[in-house]
Amino acid sequence: MNLKNGYVHGGDVYKNRVTLDFSANVNPLGTPEPVKAAIRASAGDVCRYPDPYCTALRERLSALHGVSPDGIVCGNGAAELIYAFTAAVGAKRALLPVPSFADYESALRAAGTEPVFYPLLREEGFRVNTRILDAIDERTELLLLCSPNNPTGLCVDRDLLQKILERCRATRTWLMLDECFWDLCDAEKAFSLAGALETDDRVFLLHAFTKTYGMAGVRLGYAISKHAALLSALSERVQPWNVSTVAQAAGLAALDCTDWAEKARALFRTEKVFLRESLSALGVAVHGSDANFLLLSGVPTLYEELLKKEILVRDCQNYRGLIKGDVRIAVRTHAENVRLIEAITEVLHG
C-alpha cells in the first residue's frame, strides 16, 4: 500500500473540497499571534542548522513540568517519538487498548512488536476501568495508553492511572502514556503523571504543541522520561536536527502564551454543552468526553452526507472497535458549531 494514499487521519483537507473542518482536534482559536510572529522572524535563521539538542526549548519545558532537561526529548511531532519509542523498547508483546490512535499499532508493528488488543467496550462507554489491571502481567512488556483517549475523549481516572503506574512498576512493564490532549481537557479531569515519576520508572509521557497551540503544520512534540537508558536508546533512533529552527522558535513563543489553553477550555465549557444538547435533540448518540472533541454514533451516512456539504468530520470506522456511523467531531467556535448542527439537521430531516 502506498502510505501517502492509504493513510487515514483527521485534518486531511487535501483530497476533498472542505470549507469547514471538524475532523482535526486542534484549538479552534488557532495559532497565537506571537507564535506566528516567531515563525516569520525565524526565517532569517534557516540558513543555519538548528540546535540538535533543542537546548533552550528543553530548558523551558523542564521548568514547566518540574523535571530535569535531561529527561526531555523533542521530536518532529509526537508521531516521530511514538515510532522511536517503540523501536527503542523493542518489546515482543504490547498491550494496546482499542479504540485508540491508529499510529500506536503501526509503530508497534514497525518495531516488530505484537499488539495484544484490549477492547474498550461500547456498553461501558469505551471507558478504561479497573479490568485493565488484570490484563497487565509479567508477559506484558509494554502498555500504550492515551489520556484523554483519541477518539473517545475520555481521561483515565486519576486514582486508576496511579494504580496502573504501580502495576507497571510491579511487572516491569514499559508504559507510554500519551498526554497530548491534556491541556485541552476538562480542568477537573486533567492529570499528568509527570509529577509522579521516580528515577528509572519505565514510563514515557508524550506531549505535543499541535493541538494546544494550533501548530499541526509546524510539527513539534516532546516526551518526558526519567529512564536514562531509554532516552539514550531513543536518541539513536531519531535523525540529527529532527526539530527545525522554525519549530523550536515557535515552541518557545508558544510557551509564553500561558493563557491560550485556558481561553480554549472556557470556550469548550459552553460549546460542548451546546453540541451535546443539540445533537441529542436530533437523535444522534453522543458519547461521554472529557476533551475538546466528541464521538458520535448512530447515523451510518453522516460522514458522506456532511462531506457533500463541504464539512469534514473524522470517519472512525477504521479504528479497531468502531463501526460505520461512528464519527468524531472537534469542538469549535459557536458560529462553526451552529453551522454543523444546521447541516446535520438537513441530513436527518431534509
Side-chain angles (χ1 to χ4, degrees), residues 252-269:
L252 288 168
L255 293 175
D256 287 331
C257 301
T258 54
D259 62 344
W260 200 246
E262 177 50 39
K263 286 181 179 178
R265 286 194 296 267
L267 174 70
F268 299 147
R269 280 193 287 272

Side-chain angles (χ1 to χ4, degrees), residues 62-139:
S62 74
L64 177 66
H65 291 284
V67 299
S68 167
D70 293 337
I72 294 175
V73 58
C74 297
N76 181 26
E80 180 189 37
L81 297 174
I82 294 171
Y83 281 83
F85 168 75
T86 53
V89 170
K92 293 181 179 180
R93 186 175 183 272
L95 187 65
L96 179 57
V98 290
S100 200
F101 186 41
D103 276 23
Y104 302 152
E105 180 180 347
S106 298
L108 289 173
R109 295 195 184 280
T113 304
E114 176 192 0
V116 177
F117 300 111
Y118 174 84
L120 303 176
L121 303 179
R122 188 178 294 265
E123 57 268 30
E124 295 178 348
F126 300 112
R127 188 174 294 279
V128 177
N129 57 34
T130 54
R131 286 190 300 108
I132 198 171
L133 296 173
D134 293 329
I136 305 169
D137 57 29
E138 285 72 15
R139 298 171 300 166

Side-chain angles (χ1 to χ4, degrees), residues 133 136-138 140-141 143 161-175 193-203 226:
L133 296 173
I136 305 169
D137 57 29
E138 285 72 15
T140 310
E141 297 175 65
L143 168 64
L161 195 55
Q162 188 65 46
K163 290 177 182 178
I164 291 172
L165 174 61
E166 293 169 359
R167 182 67 177 154
C168 287
R169 285 172 176 161
T171 57
R172 296 185 61 77
T173 298
W174 285 100
L175 169 63
L193 275 184
L197 296 188
E198 298 176 2
T199 302
D200 285 341
D201 268 346
R202 296 185 172 205
V203 177
K226 290 192 175 182

